[in-house]
Amino acid sequence: MMKVVFHLDVDEEKRLSMALGNISNLLKVVPAKNAAVSLVANGSAVRLFIRENASDSSSRIEALSGQGVRFFICNNSLTNFKIDPKALVKGCEITKAGILELIERQADGCAYVKP
Amino acid sequence: MMKVVFHLDVDEEKRLSMALGNISNLLKVVPAKNAAVSLVANGSAVRLFIRENASDSSSRIEALSGQGVRFFICNNSLTNFKIDPKALVKGCEITKAGILELIERQADGCAYVKP
Amino acid sequence: MMKVVFHLDVDEEKRLSMALGNISNLLKVVPAKNAAVSLVANGSAVRLFIRENASDSSSRIEALSGQGVRFFICNNSLTNFKIDPKALVKGCEITKAGILELIERQADGCAYVKP
């Protein structure tokens, strides 16, 4: 099983785009059933997942989500930026503390990649 | 035991602030006695830990240090930037080579987080 | 054995320079025979390894390569940027998918460092 967690913490569209491209490329060489791929967004990066901001990315996120990729959005950061979880792109999941999610996934054997 | 090492290598106050916020949030959800949290600063990031530059951060660093968080400053980088270790914020420790510290901590089971 | 993989994904000369400096410093404190050090470049960072762009870095890369450091360049990214692998600095190796290389190396016990 190939296990990896991607980390985004700044509100830069090109980094999200790079991460989504990385994940797509990965799933071309490793079958989705042999891959546990997730992305954790915290800090200002949570803004990238607001549905109305994510015009270009939202369909890519939904498609990857349909292939089993999990998108975790940090609830601490949503609170800081006063973002309603209901405003997020479909397929996103809320995690209480993004950093803890990153730590627990690595402890569980995931590689870490910071685009 | 939750184990993590944070990495800073550029002289950007907002990244230090993000790292300190990450650590504070983490210690709200995991008791300090169950957490081994450290931060390694190398490259130009070592400047952020000079006492007189760190007006806003130094009290946060000292408070976290009091909770058991360890701050490792790369001695190679201090030498490059001609910084006297005595000029650093209280609570900082010197490590011979920051990158080696990062590698050894990960080999010892720490997750890696780059804010 | 000290095992580490460095990751570069943006076309910023100063980050490459920092990574090469990190690696050089590391090999001063750990004998090359006890170290498995590699660097993976993907995204626009692959441009940094074009021979004619890499005037300052190419001799450093070749010297480190001679000490056993491996430089992996992502083939997906070379294709995206229409770069001929023959144009790369001597000592570079091609990897099919840079992200997969990063994941497999971490799964094999390498620490991850993102300069």
Side-chain angles (χ1 to χ4, degrees):
Chain A
M1 181 65 82
M2 188 208 64
K3 300 168 84 167
V4 59
V5 59
F6 290 83
H7 180 203
L8 290 180
D9 60 3
V10 288
D11 183 10
E12 295 177 11
E13 180 66 41
K14 67 176 181 192
R15 283 184 197 257
L16 172 59
S17 181
M18 195 188 297
L20 297 176
N22 288 343
I23 294 172
S24 297
N25 284 335
L26 206 52
L27 295 178
K28 283 177 196 156
V29 290
V30 179
K33 68 179 169 57
N34 297 336
V37 179
S38 57
L39 182 150
V40 173
N42 71 320
S44 63
V46 300
R47 286 177 181 154
L48 296 166
F49 293 85
I50 297 176
R51 206 163 40 236
E52 61 186 29
N53 294 354
S55 52
D56 288 341
S57 313
S58 69
S59 59
R60 298 171 75 192
I61 293 168
E62 288 181 34
L64 289 170
S65 171
Q67 292 184 266
V69 178
R70 300 180 70 179
F71 293 89
F72 292 100
I73 314 298
C74 175
N75 196 49
N76 287 331
S77 306
L78 290 176
T79 303
N80 285 348
F81 289 98
K82 302 185 190 351
I83 297 168
D84 183 344
K86 294 199 192 82
L88 298 176
V89 171
K90 205 178 133 188
C92 291
E93 302 174 57
I94 307 300
T95 188
K96 192 171 168 184
I99 297 294
L100 187 59
E101 188 74 42
L102 284 169
I103 296 168
E104 289 178 343
R105 292 199 161 258
Q106 288 182 71
D108 186 45
C110 286
Y112 172 93
V113 176
K114 179 85 189 280
Chain B
M1 180 66 81
M2 189 208 62
K3 299 168 84 166
V4 57
V5 59
F6 290 83
H7 180 203
L8 290 180
D9 60 2
V10 287
D11 182 10
E12 295 178 11
E13 180 66 40
K14 69 176 179 193
R15 282 184 197 259
L16 172 59
S17 181
M18 195 187 298
L20 297 176
N22 287 343
I23 295 172
S24 297
N25 284 335
L26 207 51
L27 295 178
K28 282 176 196 157
V29 289
V30 179
K33 67 179 170 59
N34 296 336
V37 179
S38 56
L39 182 150
V40 173
N42 72 320
S44 63
V46 300
R47 286 178 179 153
L48 297 166
F49 293 85
I50 298 176
R51 207 162 39 236
E52 61 186 30
N53 294 355
S55 51
D56 287 343
S57 313
S58 69
S59 60
R60 296 172 75 192
I61 293 167
E62 288 181 32
L64 289 170
S65 171
Q67 291 183 265
V69 178
R70 299 180 68 179
F71 294 88
F72 292 101
I73 315 298
C74 175
N75 196 49
N76 287 330
S77 306
L78 291 176
T79 303
N80 285 348
F81 289 98
K82 301 184 190 350
I83 297 168
D84 183 344
K86 293 199 193 83
L88 298 176
V89 170
K90 205 177 135 188
C92 292
E93 302 174 58
I94 308 300
T95 187
K96 192 171 167 184
I99 298 294
L100 187 59
E101 188 74 41
L102 284 169
I103 296 168
E104 289 177 344
R105 292 199 161 259
Q106 288 182 71
D108 185 44
C110 285
Y112 173 92
V113 176
K114 180 85 190 279
Chain C
M1 181 66 79
M2 186 207 66
K3 300 168 84 168
V4 58
V5 59
F6 290 83
H7 180 204
L8 289 180
D9 60 3
V10 288
D11 184 10
E12 295 178 11
E13 180 67 39
K14 67 175 182 196
R15 282 184 198 258
L16 172 59
S17 181
M18 196 188 295
L20 298 176
N22 288 341
I23 295 172
S24 297
N25 284 334
L26 205 52
L27 295 178
K28 282 177 197 155
V29 291
V30 179
K33 67 177 169 59
N34 296 336
V37 179
S38 57
L39 181 150
V40 173
N42 72 320
S44 64
V46 300
R47 287 178 180 153
L48 296 166
F49 293 85
I50 298 175
R51 207 163 40 237
E52 61 186 29
N53 295 354
S55 52
D56 289 342
S57 314
S58 70
S59 60
R60 297 171 74 191
I61 293 168
E62 288 180 32
L64 289 170
S65 171
Q67 291 183 267
V69 178
R70 299 180 69 180
F71 294 88
F72 292 101
I73 315 296
C74 175
N75 196 49
N76 288 330
S77 306
L78 290 176
T79 303
N80 285 347
F81 289 98
K82 302 184 191 349
I83 298 168
D84 183 345
K86 295 200 192 80
L88 298 176
V89 171
K90 206 176 132 188
C92 292
E93 302 174 59
I94 308 300
T95 188
K96 192 172 167 184
I99 298 295
L100 187 60
E101 188 74 42
L102 284 169
I103 296 169
E104 289 178 343
R105 292 197 162 260
Q106 289 182 71
D108 186 45
C110 285
Y112 172 93
V113 177
K114 180 86 188 282

